[in-house]
Amino acid sequence: MFFPTALRPRYAKWLIATGLFLMLGGCVDKPNTLERVKEDGVLRVITRNSPATYFQDRSGETGFEYELVKRFADDLGVELKIETADNLDDLFNQIGKPNGPVLAAAGLVSSDQRKQQVRFSHSYLEVTPQIIYRNGQSRPTDPGDLVGKKIMVLKGSTHAEQLAELKKKFPGIEYEESDAVEVVDLLRMVDEGQIDLTLVDSNEVAMNQVYFTNIRVAFDLGDARSQSWAVGPGEDNSLLNEINAYLDKVQKNGTLQRLKDRYYGHVDVLGYMGATTFAQHLQQRLPKYEQHFKNYAKKEKVDWRLLAAIGYQESLWQPTVTSKTGVRGLMMLTQNTAQAMGVSNRLDPKQSIMGGAKYLAYMKDQLDDSIKEPDRTWFALAAYNVGSGHLDDARKLTAKEGLNPDKWLDVKKILPRLSQKQWYSKTRYGYARGGEPVHFVANIRRYYDILTWVTQPQLEGDQVAEGNLHVPGIDKSKPTQEPAPL
């Protein structure tokens, strides 16, 4: 093309400017994953539907993984959106897909195979893989005993990888991988004798053991392993770095330990015999008083299952019990407490439950506003047991030790000191059996957890009962023998 000489410099400048514009336009960086999350205002997370990860109860969404990742979303200032995977293969396939979840929080253990699909965060929980068998059957003691047994594990799990490695050494080991079950299903199948063995992590065994009273740990298969979150593959470390910083922070400030304590710190309270007895009493005793628990809990704005858990801890749901110290009835009220709550007959279960509900609500109202949930509930239970004065003493001792007097995890460490002269001599209310409220709260939390799961199908009627929430089953058949009363 021909241009007059005078126009050539102008045209050259135009070409240069246009080229620079195009180059700069092409060099504009796309937002990284963390920036996109913040711009969208949403953190999309994929998980598993299980008691150790994520589930829904009457209060809404809950679970160890949910609580941990919800705090992360709050830290980012974004909304949390949870989706559940049908199986582990689906979970790993979904991470990092366009408009899909950017993070998996599902109790995952890293492995060489998985590292080819995703990148893992810092660890937040140590677990041990355990072989589970049914009580009454021959107990396996080493990997060679797995030969000839009917074994099932989750498809795509690290447990399946472990068994594949074992099979190289013991070719007779046969196992089935299933993507139609969750851990609670595997434990139920062992409990009912549908399969001989399964392999699951120790935290899930501990959490679900009480629902399946026939399961036992045969042996640990390998060393403890770390659970981590996972993000998609690639070189964009923006979200992963933020996750690691968050996990390090909650490890340091005690948040992680409080969550561990809440979900796993009381899993061994019942033991096998206690779990069996509780399952029997759920069928035989609770139905007689359940409506009273619900009515008075609603009136006092407390959770009826928490109220029922207190009743079980106090009397095993027996209305005529009297202790050596003179407390009486289903809720084991003292004479003074009964009078203050308007109870004229402590042996009347309806009145006793009414009094217990009012007293629990009263204890909760008396607490300092600085104590927030869920700690507020645990403090109220401790005060219900030991009295608000002794609880205040323990909180003051806690503060003097440089711990947080508004956190149950800290105060429960100090409460037992109230029975030691070197400590209670410095308090206003003096001696108390400070270890008792610690056990009292731990027991009630465990009973409450069980009641939460057992009543979960009532959340949305048949829709939930027949849906894909995995609810641990309680044997509905009538026990052969009623345990002796207290």
Side-chain angles (χ1 to χ4, degrees):
M1 183 181 294
F2 173 76
F3 291 96
T5 303
L7 294 179
R8 287 177 184 173
R10 188 182 303 173
Y11 176 67
K13 291 179 181 179
W14 180 83
L15 283 175
I16 293 172
T18 302
L20 285 172
F21 175 79
L22 293 173
M23 288 173 64
L24 289 172
C27 291
V28 173
D29 291 333
K30 294 181 179 179
N32 59 37
T33 305
L34 181 61
E35 290 169 342
R36 289 202 310 272
V37 168
K38 291 184 175 181
E39 287 174 4
D40 293 343
V42 176
L43 177 67
R44 292 177 171 82
V45 176
I46 191 165
T47 188
R48 297 158 48 212
N49 184 204
S50 77
T53 52
Y54 166 82
F55 66 97
Q56 295 185 4
D57 65 10
R58 294 188 180 206
S59 301
E61 297 171 305
T62 188
F64 178 82
E65 294 284 354
Y66 172 78
E67 295 270 5
L68 192 59
V69 80
K70 179 64 169 64
R71 284 167 170 77
F72 178 54
D74 290 343
D75 271 12
L76 295 178
V78 299
E79 178 188 358
L80 174 64
K81 285 201 173 178
I82 292 280
E83 63 180 86
T84 56
D86 291 333
N87 52 65
L88 287 170
D89 288 340
D90 178 52
L91 182 144
F92 284 105
N93 289 334
Q94 292 299 320
I95 302 176
K97 279 192 171 182
N99 301 317
V102 296
L103 165 63
L108 302 175
V109 173
S110 66
S111 68
D112 291 339
Q113 182 176 327
R114 287 179 169 179
K115 286 178 181 178
Q116 297 176 15
Q117 298 176 274
V118 297
R119 292 170 295 158
F120 287 95
S121 71
H122 292 175
S123 168
Y124 56 85
L125 188 68
E126 294 290 315
V127 298
T128 303
Q130 296 180 320
I131 294 290
I132 307 301
Y133 77 108
R134 190 175 192 272
N135 186 38
Q137 302 299 311
S138 177
R139 177 184 178 179
T141 58
D142 59 59
D145 292 339
L146 306 185
V147 174
K149 300 295 185 180
K150 185 176 182 180
I151 306 170
M152 182 182 289
V153 293
L154 296 185
K155 187 175 184 296
S157 65
T158 53
H159 304 125
E161 294 179 27
Q162 281 184 280
L163 291 177
E165 284 298 311
L166 273 183
K167 189 173 174 63
K168 295 177 182 177
K169 184 176 180 181
F170 302 96
I173 293 179
E174 299 292 340
Y175 61 94
E176 179 184 353
E177 295 184 56
S178 176
D179 60 5
V181 297
E182 248 296 344
V183 170
V184 287
D185 301 303
L186 294 174
L187 295 175
R188 174 181 53 78
M189 294 169 78
V190 173
D191 184 79
E192 297 176 353
Q194 297 180 37
I195 57 177
D196 297 323
L197 307 170
T198 189
L199 176 60
V200 298
D201 286 328
S202 54
N203 65 314
E204 305 226 44
V205 177
M207 177 167 277
N208 290 289
Q209 168 184 302
V210 69
Y211 306 112
F212 309 111
T213 55
N214 291 316
I215 66 171
R216 299 290 188 273
V217 176
F219 61 90
D220 295 346
L221 189 62
D223 298 326
R225 305 180 301 175
S226 299
Q227 288 190 348
S228 306
W229 287 348
V231 300
E235 298 181 355
D236 180 356
N237 292 320
S238 58
L239 181 61
L240 185 60
N241 290 339
E242 193 78 7
I243 289 170
N244 287 335
Y246 163 76
L247 291 176
D248 291 346
K249 181 185 74 172
V250 295
Q251 174 76 54
K252 185 177 180 179
N253 67 20
T255 299
L256 184 58
Q257 185 57 48
R258 285 191 288 272
L259 284 176
K260 290 178 182 178
D261 181 70
R262 178 179 176 186
Y263 284 94
Y264 299 117
H266 54 290
V267 293
D268 295 324
V269 168
L270 292 182
Y272 294 118
M273 293 304 297
T276 302
T277 302
F278 186 61
Q280 293 172 337
H281 290 167
L282 276 172
Q283 304 159 41
Q284 297 176 338
R285 296 181 181 177
L286 180 59
K288 302 174 187 176
Y289 313 113
E290 182 173 337
Q291 198 56 50
H292 294 325
F293 284 124
K294 289 180 176 178
N295 291 342
Y296 288 111
K298 183 178 181 180
K299 186 175 181 180
E300 301 300 331
K301 297 180 181 179
V302 296
D303 191 323
W304 79 266
R305 297 163 301 184
L306 184 67
L307 191 62
I310 297 172
Y312 190 77
Q313 168 65 20
E314 294 284 40
S315 70
L316 302 184
W317 295 324
Q318 297 179 109
T320 59
V321 174
T322 301
S323 79
K324 295 178 181 178
T325 58
V327 293
R328 309 185 75 186
L330 194 146
M331 301 299 286
M332 296 296 274
L333 303 175
T334 65
Q335 183 64 50
N336 289 340
T337 298
Q339 290 177 352
M341 298 299 117
V343 175
S344 59
N345 181 4
R346 288 183 286 167
L347 300 185
D348 179 340
K350 184 177 180 180
Q351 286 194 44
S352 184
I353 292 170
M354 179 268 291
K358 291 177 68 174
Y359 189 54
L360 176 62
Y362 174 77
M363 286 292 106
K364 213 168 187 178
D365 288 343
Q366 297 305 301
L367 295 172
D368 291 347
D369 292 340
S370 59
I371 303 173
K372 307 301 181 184
E373 291 292 1
D375 297 274
R376 193 172 186 84
T377 293
W378 314 141
F379 276 102
L381 291 175
Y384 187 105
N385 175 261
V386 76
S388 57
H390 290 304
L391 181 63
D392 285 342
D393 284 344
R395 292 183 63 219
K396 290 173 183 176
L397 290 176
T398 301
K400 289 180 180 179
E401 289 295 303
L403 301 174
N404 191 337
D406 296 336
K407 294 298 181 183
W408 176 244
L409 182 66
D410 288 347
V411 175
K412 78 172 188 177
K413 298 174 184 175
I414 303 299
L415 266 166
R417 293 185 180 183
L418 296 182
S419 62
Q420 303 171 33
K421 187 174 182 178
Q422 69 177 106
W423 296 105
Y424 71 69
S425 61
K426 302 174 183 178
T427 66
R428 177 180 179 183
Y429 293 95
Y431 172 85
R433 292 191 293 269
E436 287 191 2
V438 176
H439 293 296
F440 183 81
V441 174
N443 288 347
I444 289 173
R445 289 176 67 173
R446 195 58 181 137
Y447 299 139
Y448 175 73
D449 284 346
I450 300 169
L451 286 166
T452 297
W453 273 93
V454 171
T455 59
Q456 187 178 337
Q458 301 174 14
L459 296 178
E460 300 174 15
D462 295 338
Q463 179 180 355
V464 171
E466 297 175 1
N468 57 9
L469 283 180
H470 297 273
V471 182
I474 292 293
D475 183 6
K476 297 297 192 294
S477 60
K478 187 175 181 179
T480 55
Q481 184 177 357
E482 167 72 3
L486 288 177

